[in-house]
Amino acid sequence: MDANKGKGDQAMPNPVGQMGKPVGVPFMESVLPKAVKRRVHALKRLQEQCAHIEAKFYEEVHELERKYAALYQPLFDKRREVVTGAVEPTDEECEWHTDEDEEEELAEEVKEKATIEDAKKEEVTPEEDPKGIPDFWLTIFKSVDMLSDMVQEHDEPILKHLRDIQVKFSEPGQPMSFTLEFHFEPNGYFNNAVLTKVYKMKSEPEASDPFSFEGPEIIDCEGCQIDWHKGKDVTVKIIKKKQKHKGRGTVRTVTKQVPNDSFFNFFNPVKASPDGEMDEDSEFNLATDFEIGHFFRERIVPRAVLYFTGEALEDDESFEEEELEEGDEEEQDEEGDDDDEEGDTDTKKEQPQPAECKQQ
């Protein structure tokens, strides 16, 4: 079972009845003999019990993730130290074998020539040695489409101070959740050393619809209060309006604070409504927030260096292209079928095609 599967990952084709019309479950049950229907109800009770066992499985998966997160953390701590320049990796730690044949077969004379040229340059201008890996997290944010849409130009100077992102899992016995921690070095924008975002999860079938259960889902999230320095809050902007008095004709200038697009709005999310009633925009924003939180947890934090170099982006793009090619191929096959049918129109009237089973 996949602990990260989403809704709709296990697609089922609709059965097709007479005249190509989909047959719904109520209709299917209505045509069954009473004795058979009774047995189907028994199977449904078994299926409901399976859903509850599956929920327990995912709870144990969460505990396993928490256990292994502790094993990963020393490596992530070392990553932070290298990124921030707190430590300089040894020559042995920097060894990395590339598959590039061109680099492996580079002629010795070319290497020597490059060394001589580098030595001459160093004599003229001392070599720059930046601390750590500058703009590590900012580069990742700007490279990933999902995150780059959130980052505004006025966010970039602040994100240069981002030192690390960590994922913390809820402790045993606590409600299932995970927390994203954004660690910042001291800066001139806010006082917080760490900004947090908590994602609350649920791993249990709905009593009203137990068969819809497909694993844990994020049900709500909670941000944090940012202690901005005066005049540095990038999530708001000040606008000035001129107002003219109707009677006297005098003009006055009024200043007003309004929301401003910023990555840091991420820490002030839309709250899920307790009764489930939300407008369409709020539902969309909340769903997008959940997706971003999951992406940080599953992709960005564990594979940060590969997003920095762009290798993870290439993998994502290859996957998307693969899906697109498969879709194009199916479309071409359908067009080919249409061409075959056109060739038969001279000898017989075109027959209606049966309804295609669509995957939900």
Side-chain angles (χ1 to χ4, degrees):
M1 295 185 186
D2 183 359
N4 297 321
K5 67 185 178 182
K7 302 293 183 184
D9 287 349
Q10 295 181 336
M12 282 280 292
N14 279 335
V16 178
Q18 294 178 348
M19 304 302 292
K21 293 182 179 179
V23 179
V25 174
F27 174 79
M28 180 66 79
E29 288 192 15
S30 68
V31 298
L32 294 174
K34 187 174 181 180
V36 176
K37 188 188 300 184
R38 179 173 171 274
R39 294 168 196 139
V40 169
H41 290 170
L43 295 185
K44 284 189 172 182
R45 287 190 57 132
L46 294 174
Q47 189 63 46
E48 184 177 12
Q49 292 174 46
C50 288
H52 285 282
I53 292 175
E54 188 179 7
K56 292 294 182 185
F57 164 79
Y58 285 117
E59 287 177 7
E60 292 195 21
V61 168
H62 184 75
E63 288 303 310
L64 202 58
E65 285 183 309
R66 187 181 62 81
K67 173 186 173 182
Y68 275 86
L71 300 179
Y72 286 126
Q73 195 55 51
L75 302 177
F76 293 156
D77 289 342
K78 186 65 178 289
R79 178 180 69 186
R80 181 194 66 242
E81 291 173 345
V82 173
V83 166
T84 59
V87 299
E88 183 63 33
T90 64
D91 291 342
E92 183 181 354
E93 290 173 329
C94 292
E95 283 184 9
W96 184 256
H97 300 288
T98 176
D99 294 330
E100 299 273 340
D101 292 334
E102 295 84 358
E103 290 184 15
E104 293 177 1
E105 298 175 0
L106 188 62
E108 277 302 321
E109 57 269 22
V110 177
K111 289 183 180 179
E112 291 176 6
K113 184 179 179 181
T115 303
I116 293 171
E117 290 178 354
D118 288 343
K120 289 180 179 178
K121 288 180 182 178
E122 287 179 8
E123 290 176 5
V124 179
T125 56
E127 182 183 356
E128 290 186 10
D129 186 11
K131 184 180 178 182
I133 303 178
D135 302 342
F136 180 78
W137 292 103
L138 175 59
T139 300
I140 294 172
F141 281 32
K142 293 174 70 175
S143 301
V144 178
D145 289 342
M146 186 184 295
L147 304 180
S148 63
D149 292 341
M150 303 166 61
V151 177
Q152 308 300 315
E153 189 175 347
H154 48 256
D155 294 324
E156 294 186 18
I158 311 176
L159 291 172
K160 286 176 179 287
H161 296 285
L162 181 58
R163 301 170 66 244
D164 197 19
I165 305 175
Q166 298 180 12
V167 180
K168 303 292 185 182
F169 293 92
S170 53
E171 294 296 326
Q174 294 182 345
M176 186 183 291
S177 69
F178 67 91
T179 302
L180 299 177
E181 295 183 350
F182 295 74
H183 293 252
F184 287 83
E185 64 187 9
N187 59 81
Y189 297 92
F190 48 73
N191 292 319
N192 312 63
V194 182
L195 301 181
T196 60
K197 185 78 168 282
V198 180
Y199 286 89
K200 301 175 183 179
M201 305 173 69
K202 182 180 71 171
S203 181
E204 60 180 280
E206 293 282 354
S208 59
D209 187 15
F211 306 134
S212 66
F213 179 75
E214 291 187 342
E217 58 180 343
I218 298 173
I219 56 173
D220 199 6
C221 58
E222 209 169 273
C224 67
Q225 184 72 35
I226 302 179
D227 184 15
W228 293 99
H229 292 176
K230 186 176 180 181
K232 296 295 185 177
D233 186 349
V234 294
T235 64
V236 295
K237 59 183 178 182
I238 305 297
I239 60 172
K240 294 182 179 181
K241 282 187 175 182
K242 289 185 177 181
Q243 294 181 343
K244 187 175 182 180
H245 194 281
K246 291 182 179 180
R248 296 191 295 271
T250 55
V251 177
R252 66 172 183 175
T253 301
V254 178
T255 59
K256 186 179 180 183
Q257 184 172 281
V258 297
N260 192 30
D261 289 338
S262 169
F263 167 78
F264 291 92
N265 289 321
F266 180 69
F267 300 98
N268 184 28
V270 175
K271 294 294 293 178
S273 175
D275 57 8
E277 296 294 327
M278 298 181 69
D279 61 68
E280 191 173 333
D281 288 343
S282 296
E283 283 187 354
F284 175 79
N285 291 336
L286 195 60
T288 302
D289 193 308
F290 291 175
E291 184 180 359
I292 292 168
H294 184 76
F295 194 75
F296 266 117
R297 165 188 158 172
E298 295 294 327
R299 305 284 289 178
I300 297 296
V301 173
R303 309 181 73 208
V305 66
L306 301 181
Y307 280 96
F308 177 79
T309 61
E311 293 165 88
L313 298 172
E314 291 173 6
D315 290 343
D316 293 344
E317 288 170 1
S318 298
F319 181 73
E320 290 172 3
E321 287 174 5
E322 208 171 287
E323 286 186 333
L324 183 62
E325 287 170 4
E326 288 175 1
D328 289 345
E329 188 176 332
E330 288 175 6
E331 188 175 339
Q332 288 170 4
D333 288 344
E334 290 172 2
E335 290 174 357
D337 293 341
D338 292 342
D339 292 341
D340 292 340
E341 289 167 5
E342 288 175 4
D344 295 337
T345 52
D346 294 334
T347 57
K348 62 180 179 180
K349 186 176 180 180
E350 185 178 352
Q351 298 296 316
Q353 300 297 309
E356 182 183 352
C357 291
K358 295 183 179 178
Q359 292 196 346
Q360 293 179 330

